[in-house]
Amino acid sequence: MPPRPVDISLIISSRNRAYGLTNCLDAVSNAARQADYLRLELVFVDNGSTDETSEVVRQWASTAPIKTNLIYEAKPGLAVARNTGLNAARGRILAFTDDDCEIFPDYFSTLAALFSSDTEMVMRGGRIELGDARDLPVTIKPEMEPATLTSELHAGGFIHGANMAFPYALVEKIGLFDTRFGAGSPFRSGEDTDYVHRAFNAGVHVEYLPDFAVKHFHGRRELADIKRLQTGYAFGNGALYAKYLFDRRSNMRGMLRWEIRQAVMEAMGRRKLNEDLGLTYRSQLRDNFTGMLAYWRAPKAKQPA
């Protein structure tokens, strides 16, 4: 593989969020200034926005301290947008965050240091702090202890797509994101879980490190919003269980058995998912099965393995 001309490519996709991009982009500027010794680029994918998203990015980029590649991708879907970003990125290391996140000032310098001494391929996920204390504590990962993915652990939530990074060589090894998964797709979520799972199955070391971090300003403050979010996650996980049900290399069957055990123990009064947020293992399992049925009923299409 010829040398990549950029050290780190940060890939962000967005759809109709012109009103909330300034803080996200300014945080990128701050981090880029702290790492001016690195060759950096921002690959920003406008995923079919009908507002001023592209114009906001274009104006910001005119004075930003980081080279910016703004791409308009009309086909909706987070995995589609991420694939567009992957295809355009020129970095040796590819990093991802979301348009409602703010990276920490040492983000690029920390990533560069973490990947500089690797002797094997590593996929990493970083810390995700709650950006606004008024938001409910979901879609975050504030753990301060490092962890390594094993066959006994679920890929879902081990690292989050809002803060993950890996070498470009991983794309050459396992391909692109499965566009049937993720926000805006038929299976609603799980494109990051699927990618992590595929990397692990391919023998890639997957680890969570709290060293590089983002703040997530997700804006969800009502329990009804959390229930809808959890339904989408469980539906996507169910589709993933169906995708890998007959793959002997995969531990997804074990994860499905775990879901069933938790629901049974909850029915016996011995386990609860999250009473404060009104979430139950039984409803989660129901949505898992709904996702599995949707996967089996969907038209078959050639997708990444």
Side-chain angles (χ1 to χ4, degrees):
M1 182 181 71
R4 307 284 288 173
V6 172
D7 294 318
I8 302 173
S9 297
L10 177 62
I11 300 170
I12 300 176
S13 60
S14 184
R15 181 179 174 87
N16 289 334
R17 194 176 168 80
Y19 64 90
L21 284 178
T22 301
N23 290 343
C24 172
L25 296 172
D26 286 348
V28 174
S29 291
N30 291 336
R33 290 190 184 97
Q34 285 205 12
D36 59 1
Y37 59 96
L38 295 172
R39 297 169 299 173
L40 304 171
E41 72 170 353
L42 171 65
V43 179
F44 192 99
V45 182
D46 181 344
N47 193 200
S49 296
T50 56
D51 65 2
E52 299 300 313
T53 290
S54 284
E55 185 57 30
V56 169
V57 177
R58 194 174 292 113
Q59 290 183 12
W60 170 85
S62 66
T63 59
I66 182 173
K67 184 173 181 179
T68 301
N69 184 3
L70 172 62
I71 305 168
Y72 189 86
E73 170 57 69
K75 185 177 180 181
L78 181 55
V80 172
R82 285 186 163 161
N83 286 344
T84 299
L86 285 177
N87 286 326
R90 303 182 303 151
R92 180 179 63 86
I93 303 303
L94 308 175
F96 293 83
T97 192
D98 290 344
D99 61 358
D100 56 359
C101 291
E102 296 177 17
I103 62 176
F104 275 45
D106 64 349
Y107 185 86
F108 291 120
S109 55
T110 301
L111 274 183
L114 287 172
F115 282 93
S116 64
S117 59
D118 287 341
T119 58
E120 62 176 349
M121 194 179 302
V122 182
M123 181 184 202
R124 293 183 168 98
R127 194 168 82 251
I128 304 175
E129 299 282 1
L130 190 65
D132 190 328
R134 296 172 296 176
D135 296 344
L136 291 169
V138 296
T139 61
I140 57 174
K141 192 172 178 69
E143 289 90 339
M144 295 303 295
E145 291 296 321
T148 298
L149 185 62
T150 68
S151 59
E152 286 75 38
L153 298 175
H154 198 313
F158 182 78
I159 63 178
H160 293 204
N163 191 15
M164 67 178 179
F166 47 80
Y168 180 80
L170 179 62
V171 182
E172 296 185 316
K173 187 178 184 71
I174 69 171
L176 300 173
F177 289 91
D178 188 333
T179 57
R180 297 171 296 179
F181 294 88
S185 73
F187 302 134
R188 306 183 194 173
S189 65
E191 88 295 336
D192 49 355
T193 300
D194 180 66
Y195 210 71
V196 172
H197 183 70
R198 285 161 52 200
F200 179 77
N201 273 5
V204 175
H205 183 77
V206 180
E207 63 182 19
Y208 166 77
L209 292 176
D211 306 57
F212 65 105
V214 304
K215 294 180 181 179
H216 194 186
F217 297 83
H218 61 74
R220 299 180 181 93
R221 300 172 185 176
E222 302 294 332
L223 291 181
D225 295 333
I226 305 307
K227 289 182 178 179
R228 281 193 294 270
L229 180 71
Q230 187 65 23
T231 293
Y233 285 158
F235 183 89
N237 277 342
L240 285 174
Y241 296 150
K243 177 179 178 179
Y244 293 105
L245 192 61
F246 304 107
D247 184 350
R248 293 184 177 180
R249 302 171 303 165
S250 171
N251 68 337
M252 283 291 178
R253 283 180 294 185
M255 296 302 103
L256 177 58
R257 288 194 294 269
W258 183 90
E259 300 266 17
I260 294 171
R261 284 197 301 271
Q262 304 314 303
V264 170
M265 293 177 72
E266 184 180 70
M268 296 169 62
R270 296 167 56 191
R271 182 82 77 218
K272 291 183 179 179
L273 179 55
N274 192 316
E275 192 170 21
D276 291 339
L277 296 180
L279 304 177
T280 69
Y281 283 112
R282 282 170 288 180
S283 62
Q284 184 169 277
L285 183 62
R286 178 200 63 213
D287 295 328
N288 289 157
F289 285 138
T290 303
M292 292 176 73
L293 288 173
Y295 182 90
W296 286 324
R297 290 172 175 171
K300 301 303 178 185
K302 183 177 177 57
Q303 291 290 342

